[in-house]
């Protein structure tokens, strides 16, 4: 690989994808490539893509259109599509966008150097094979997008829950977990390098499990291993499926001060009828019971969620059930979406996408408005409390201001001259907005 050196990457979609880009850069840097943040300097442009909703795909397709004119001016430039869209749209991309040189799915990143070589010699480099084993466990991600304080560690890949709306089981394949000792080694190395927070990532972290000889490590056991590295290393995790958020896990969170009091538990809908059609495999009552259990064992725990508005056949009454569930839980934060039909998913095959666009929009607005009130309330409840904040950076706007997050994952700003990123500070919360807590050192 003589000519090709500089690689420019752009990442779309979820945190898993950002982690994958770090794996990609690690694989490539072992083969003589370097990253660049200047697109104009790049010999290779890689887009790591997301298929979760149609608008995510449209953004990438527009971006590719813009890149095609760069390629016209510089024919030796290589353009690659990685990730979920590569997996889902391989044939369509080949047909509609002949200027794309590489199409590489989420389980084929080890093959990238060879595929780039192939593309450089004029043949398209394509590999969209999914694997039942690949976890990239031995690859040390290049921490390109990190602040040096917080990092993400991917602990499992794939998903086989088959929620009827979701494309992930088809783009990322079967669930598989990574050996626990490789996860602990990665977290320990991060701690030694000055990092103070790791987030364990997976499409469904509660399904993590590893069996070898006599040992059987499930997610709570893994959390104990990572939290035991050092009390100064905070541990977070995402995402959990409500059907398997167990008492054992909640108790482990309660036992360790350095496991953060923050659980992301996507509910998607508050209506039993819709939950059933979504194949979520829990009911509203079950979800509320799990929330009650979290509140009982972790009274100080933030709870965040994902909500979809306007799923197939959703009635006004179903929608009201979602709003009332949001009220009942009092979510601290939510990611909220309009349902977007994904080709070839069970919902696309079996149900009609029959909620009109303007109704989806109105329902989503109602959900967002309610969540804004709930988020503000959750911040107001913090006023007067003292929280331990892990400092992440100095504010861009004012050099005296530092920012970081509480265990509950709430962004907090405060003035302090002598402290720096990576340190903990006890902060009394004085004021708030819906997005930020404002406090002072105690
Ligand atoms: N349409 C809208 N939102 C979706 N999500 C997943 N699939 C779809 C879809 N087809 C949302 C869910 C999930 C989050 C990652 O994205 O809320 O939890
Ligand atoms: Fe999609 Fe469900 Fe898997 Fe989440 S758990 S990625 S919503 S299939």
């Amino acid at each position: 690989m003589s000519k090709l050196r500089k690689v420019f990457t752009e990442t779309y979609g979820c945190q898993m994808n950002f982690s994958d880009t770090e794996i990609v850069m690690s694989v490539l840097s072992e083969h003589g490539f370097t990253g660049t943040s200047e697109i104009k300097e790049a010999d290779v442009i890689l887009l790591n893509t997301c298929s979760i909703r149609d608008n995510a795909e449209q953004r990438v397709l527009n971006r590719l259109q813009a890149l095609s004119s760069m390629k016209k001016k510089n024919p030796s430039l290589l353009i690659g599509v990685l990730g979920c869209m590569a997996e889902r749209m391989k044939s369509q991309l080949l047909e509609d966008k002949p200027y794309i040189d590489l199409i590489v799915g989420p389980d084929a990143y080890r093959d990238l150097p060879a595929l780039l070589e192939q593309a450089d010699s004029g043949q398209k480099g394509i590999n969209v094979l999914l694997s039942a084993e690949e976890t990239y466990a031995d690859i040390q991600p290049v921490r390109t997008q990190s602040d040096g304080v917080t990092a993400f560690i991917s602990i499992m890949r794939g998903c086989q829950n088959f929620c009827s709306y979701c494309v992930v089981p088809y783009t990322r394949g079967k669930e598989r977990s990574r050996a626990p000792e490789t996860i602990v080694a990665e977290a320990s190395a991060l701690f030694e390098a000055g990092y103070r927070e790791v987030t364990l990532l997976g499409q469904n972290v509660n399904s993590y499990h590893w069996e070898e000889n006599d040992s059987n490590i499930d997610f709570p056991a893994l959390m104990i291993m990572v939290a035991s590295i050092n009390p100064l290393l905070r541990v977070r995790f995402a995402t959990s499926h409500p059907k398997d958020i167990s008492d054992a896990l909640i108790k482990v969170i309660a036992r360790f001060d350095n496991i953060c009091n923050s659980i992301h538990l996507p509910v998607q809908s508050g209506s039993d009828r819709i939950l059933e059609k979504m194949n979520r495999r829990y009911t509203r009552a079950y979800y509320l019971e799990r929330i009650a259990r979290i509140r009982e064992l972790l009274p100080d725990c933030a709870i965040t969620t994902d909500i979809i508005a306007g799923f197939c056949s959703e009635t006004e009454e179903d929608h009201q059930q979602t709003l009332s569930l949001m009220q009942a839980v009092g979510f601290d934060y939510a990611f909220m979406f309009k349902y977007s039909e994904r080709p070839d998913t069970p919902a696309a095959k079996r149900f009609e996408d029959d909620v009109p666009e303007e109704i989806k929009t109105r329902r989503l607005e109602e959900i967002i408005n309610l969540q804004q009130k709930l988020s503000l309330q959750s911040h107001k409840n913090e006023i007067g409390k003292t929280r331990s904040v892990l400092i992440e950076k100095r504010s861009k706007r004012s050099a005296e201001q530092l920012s970081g997050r509480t265990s509950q994952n709430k962004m907090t700003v405060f003035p302090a001259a002598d402290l720096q990123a990576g340190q903990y500070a006890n902060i009394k919360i004085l004021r708030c907005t819906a997005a930020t807590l404002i406090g002072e050192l105690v």
Side-chain angles (χ1 to χ4, degrees):
M1 188 67 47
S2 52
K3 303 190 299 292
L4 300 174
R5 298 214 69 85
K6 292 195 174 158
V7 182
F8 178 87
T9 59
E10 253 172 41
T11 307
Y12 298 79
C14 64
Q15 195 54 57
M16 283 291 284
N17 241 21
F18 284 85
S19 264
D20 281 5
T21 300
E22 298 183 333
I23 288 167
V24 164
M25 284 318 297
S26 175
V27 170
L28 290 177
S29 63
E30 297 278 299
H31 288 79
F33 295 88
T34 55
T36 175
S37 53
E38 286 295 325
I39 194 166
K40 289 197 193 100
E41 287 183 355
D43 305 304
V44 182
I45 299 177
L46 300 176
L47 304 187
N48 195 1
T49 63
C50 166
S51 284
I52 197 100
R53 284 168 291 276
D54 183 60
N55 55 11
E57 289 190 345
Q58 291 308 325
R59 276 178 59 211
V60 170
L61 294 174
N62 292 338
R63 185 70 178 132
L64 283 167
Q65 210 53 47
L67 295 181
S68 74
S69 48
M70 275 184 79
K71 172 119 181 165
K72 268 195 202 116
K73 284 185 214 135
N74 174 13
S76 66
L77 176 70
L78 294 185
I79 296 178
V81 175
L82 315 184
C84 291
M85 279 174 78
E87 200 62 51
R88 196 187 84 68
M89 297 176 71
K90 179 189 127 189
S91 325
Q92 201 177 323
L93 290 172
L94 281 172
E95 213 162 280
D96 299 350
K97 304 205 179 291
Y99 52 86
I100 296 175
D101 304 286
L102 287 155
I103 300 186
V104 186
D107 287 344
Y109 297 148
R110 286 178 202 271
D111 210 13
L112 265 169
L115 293 168
L116 273 163
E117 193 132 11
Q118 194 173 319
D120 195 33
S121 67
Q123 261 186 311
K124 286 189 193 295
I126 298 168
N127 186 347
V128 292
L129 287 177
L130 287 174
S131 152
E133 287 98 33
E134 181 63 272
T135 60
Y136 302 112
D138 54 318
I139 295 178
Q140 286 287 318
V142 176
R143 305 272 166 197
T144 44
Q145 18 223 345
S146 174
D147 51 13
V149 179
T150 64
F152 294 88
I153 302 180
S154 159
I155 63 161
M156 55 158 337
R157 299 179 70 83
C159 182
Q160 53 209 44
N161 284 323
F162 294 99
C163 305
S164 64
Y165 50 79
C166 190
V167 77
V168 169
Y170 313 96
T171 60
R172 285 184 169 266
K174 283 213 175 90
E175 215 165 79
R176 66 220 100 118
S177 298
R178 176 177 162 188
E181 60 276 10
T182 69
I183 297 167
V184 172
E186 190 173 331
S188 302
L190 285 164
F191 184 75
E192 293 304 319
Y195 286 81
R196 290 295 175 264
E197 184 180 297
V198 291
T199 303
L200 307 185
L201 278 184
Q203 249 80 30
N204 181 12
V205 287
N206 310 122
S207 298
Y208 177 89
H209 81 130
W210 185 262
E211 270 169 60
E212 204 170 43
N213 307 324
D214 289 340
S215 79
N216 190 343
I217 308 286
D218 61 4
F219 186 59
L222 178 72
M223 288 290 280
I224 292 173
M225 291 167 77
V226 178
S228 303
I229 291 172
N230 194 300
L232 287 177
L233 182 69
R234 274 185 174 177
V235 188
R236 300 185 185 277
F237 59 97
T239 290
S240 316
H241 194 297
K243 77 176 162 52
D244 24 44
I245 181 112
S246 62
D247 280 11
L249 177 61
I250 303 171
K251 285 178 185 162
V252 167
I253 302 173
R255 211 173 100 196
F256 285 84
D257 279 347
N258 58 328
I259 300 184
C260 289
N261 272 332
S262 168
I263 301 181
H264 186 62
L265 204 58
V267 69
Q268 315 298 1
S269 168
S271 151
D272 280 341
R273 196 180 67 81
I274 296 294
L275 287 171
E276 161 112 47
K277 283 181 88 108
M278 288 178 163
N279 192 32
R280 291 291 288 177
R281 288 177 279 171
Y282 55 84
T283 60
R284 174 191 176 96
Y286 167 87
Y287 186 89
L288 289 171
E289 182 278 325
R290 287 288 82 195
I291 298 293
R293 192 74 173 131
I294 294 170
R295 299 258 188 253
E296 180 191 337
L297 296 172
L298 295 169
D300 225 6
C301 188
I303 299 173
T304 58
T305 200
D306 294 346
I307 295 172
I308 298 177
F311 186 65
C312 312
S313 86
E314 187 188 74
T315 63
E316 215 45 48
E317 197 187 322
D318 295 319
H319 169 60
Q320 290 301 328
Q321 295 264 308
T322 296
L323 294 172
S324 75
L325 179 127
M326 291 171 69
Q327 286 275 17
V329 178
F331 290 113
D332 293 85
Y333 188 80
F335 297 93
M336 299 156 283
F337 314 101
K338 268 189 243 182
Y339 172 59
S340 163
E341 184 176 88
R342 311 291 42 243
D344 302 322
T345 53
K349 287 183 184 159
R350 302 209 322 259
F351 312 130
E352 206 184 325
D353 180 14
D354 54 359
V355 177
E357 186 60 27
E358 62 276 16
I359 295 187
K360 280 187 190 170
T361 304
R362 196 254 303 148
R363 288 183 188 163
L364 180 64
E365 270 169 18
E366 288 176 10
I367 289 170
I368 291 173
N369 289 339
L370 173 56
Q371 186 52 49
Q372 259 166 358
K373 287 188 198 129
L374 296 175
S375 295
L376 183 62
Q377 189 55 51
S378 120
H379 273 183
K380 282 186 176 159
N381 294 345
E382 294 293 296
I383 294 175
K385 291 182 186 162
T386 296
R387 297 292 195 191
S388 173
V389 172
L390 172 60
I391 303 170
E392 288 172 18
K393 54 178 179 271
R394 238 167 231 293
S395 156
K396 281 181 217 123
R397 266 173 270 152
S398 149
E400 278 116 67
Q401 296 284 329
L402 292 171
S403 66
R405 279 169 300 141
T406 64
S407 170
Q408 289 72 16
N409 212 15
K410 293 182 182 347
M411 184 52 70
T412 308
V413 298
F414 58 94
D418 335 325
L419 295 175
Q420 59 195 30
Q423 291 182 312
Y424 289 93
N426 280 329
I427 302 298
K428 182 168 184 194
I429 309 303
L430 303 173
R431 289 178 290 127
C432 71
T433 68
T436 315
L437 302 177
I438 300 140
E440 64 180 13
L441 272 171
V442 293

